[in-house]
Amino acid sequence: MAEPPFRGVFCAAATPFDADLKPDADRLIAHCRFLLDEGCHGIALLGSTGEANSLSLDERMALLERVVEAGIPPDRLLPGTGVSAYPETVALTRHALSLGVTRVVMLPPFYYKGIPDQGMIDSYARIVEEVADPRLGVIFYHIPPIAQIPIPFPVIEALLGRYPGSFVGIKDSGGQLDNMLGLVERFPGLAVLPGADPLMLPLLQKGGAGCITATSNLLARDLRTVFDFYDDPGRTLDVEAAQARIVGLRTISNTYAQLPTIKALIARRTGDDGWLRVRPPFVSLSDEERASLDALVAAAG
């Protein structure tokens, strides 16, 4: 059976903003270093948790440049480059490759609903052909709860057949373990990574490749424990304890709107209220909501 081309715990990193709601590169760089020190194999910048669809192309490019210039290794970055207009996806992807970043997470063309499989195939094909770089490794981003369109198996099969080596993984944020297990079974050479932290363990046990998740902003060490020792009988208790903490904090993070909640929990960890800032249309948690969140975290130990 073919092995996934890469594996690991990857953080869907939040994006900090300054007082003018401009991306705060210095805070982001410090956060990236923290995440790598905590055990993340890499960082998925500029995705849903990173509020990428609220950033301009120039802002996205500038942030990625600053992170790479600060010494974060490009081969440990998985930036999001997928937007609705494929020429902009091409521009973001070429820019990432110019910095030495070779793996990118790519949304489908998500604005129009009910598009035929062929339309999605044509969109991804156009991007790969216009980028025209053999280094490119695309990670599909399947997130139907937000995008409102799935990435069907026939689309994946067609693209893998047409462009061998260009599509290397899929982040499945649909929340359906059966879909992820089906991906592992049907596409053994594709890295299948859940977007929900608690699902990493059962998926690893069936051939999954790790995760790309929001709660790893806070629990990277526990996720790394599960990843490293899920099949080690001598570490079963450690894995069970880590998994319990992962499930507990993921549950807490869903108490309010997840992205502002993740940022509130980062602010709580760092003591830096600058992390509370979000861009519209998101709204920061109220003082009462933050107090409730603090109580939940304290009760969870």
Side-chain angles (χ1 to χ4, degrees):
M1 180 178 289
E3 290 292 324
F6 69 99
R7 302 176 76 249
V9 171
F10 299 92
C11 179
T15 299
F17 296 105
D18 65 19
D20 295 321
L21 293 188
K22 299 294 177 65
D24 190 327
D26 290 334
R27 274 193 179 94
L28 179 59
I29 290 163
H31 188 51
C32 288
R33 290 175 176 150
F34 166 80
L35 293 170
L36 294 177
D37 288 346
E38 286 289 289
C40 286
H41 293 88
I43 302 164
L45 299 171
L46 301 167
S48 300
T49 306
E51 298 176 73
N53 285 297
S54 297
L55 302 182
S56 70
L57 265 63
D58 286 345
E59 288 174 324
R60 291 167 75 144
M61 291 179 181
L63 267 180
L64 187 57
E65 288 172 11
R66 286 287 306 275
V67 169
V68 172
E69 288 167 359
I72 305 299
D75 63 357
R76 301 185 74 174
L77 297 174
L78 311 176
T81 63
V83 297
S84 288
Y86 81 79
E88 294 183 341
T89 299
V90 169
L92 288 170
T93 303
R94 283 178 173 164
H95 176 260
L97 286 159
S98 76
L99 298 174
V101 177
T102 58
R103 291 194 297 258
V104 300
V105 181
M106 197 175 290
L107 281 164
F110 56 85
Y111 179 78
Y112 296 106
K113 314 309 179 193
I115 60 173
D117 287 358
Q118 191 60 51
M120 192 175 295
I121 292 167
D122 291 346
S123 181
Y124 276 114
R126 173 74 67 162
I127 294 161
V128 170
E129 290 176 7
E130 289 202 11
V131 171
D133 192 320
R135 297 174 297 163
L136 175 63
V138 175
I139 300 164
F140 294 108
Y141 191 3
H142 172 78
I143 183 168
I146 292 178
Q148 295 296 302
I149 59 170
I151 302 178
F153 283 29
V155 169
I156 297 169
E157 186 169 47
L159 291 166
L160 290 176
R162 188 183 300 184
Y163 304 104
S166 294
F167 293 89
V168 297
I170 181 165
K171 176 183 178 181
D172 188 333
S173 292
Q176 302 299 316
L177 182 59
D178 285 347
N179 191 74
M180 300 174 205
L181 295 173
L183 288 165
V184 170
E185 182 177 354
R186 186 159 171 181
F187 307 112
L190 197 69
V192 181
L193 305 115
D197 314 75
L199 296 180
M200 182 179 74
L201 176 56
L203 196 60
L204 282 172
Q205 293 166 337
K206 298 296 185 178
C211 68
I212 302 176
T213 61
T215 313
S216 50
N217 282 280
L218 304 151
L219 283 177
R221 283 190 183 273
D222 284 323
L223 286 161
R224 185 61 187 263
T225 295
V226 172
F227 181 87
D228 287 344
F229 303 115
Y230 74 93
D231 60 351
D232 182 345
R235 301 295 295 270
T236 299
L237 293 179
D238 293 333
V239 169
E240 289 177 350
Q243 180 73 357
R245 289 190 291 270
I246 290 164
V247 172
L249 191 61
R250 179 76 181 197
T251 301
I252 289 171
S253 76
N254 289 329
T255 303
Y256 303 107
Q258 189 188 58
L259 193 150
T261 302
I262 291 291
K263 283 190 153 183
L265 291 170
I266 296 173
R268 184 180 189 275
R269 177 188 65 79
T270 60
D272 177 6
D273 282 354
W275 273 102
L276 296 171
R277 301 183 189 110
V278 294
R279 267 199 179 174
F282 287 107
V283 177
S284 298
L285 297 191
S286 67
D287 291 343
E288 292 77 11
E289 289 169 335
R290 288 175 60 203
S292 172
L293 196 64
D294 287 346
L296 290 171
V297 173

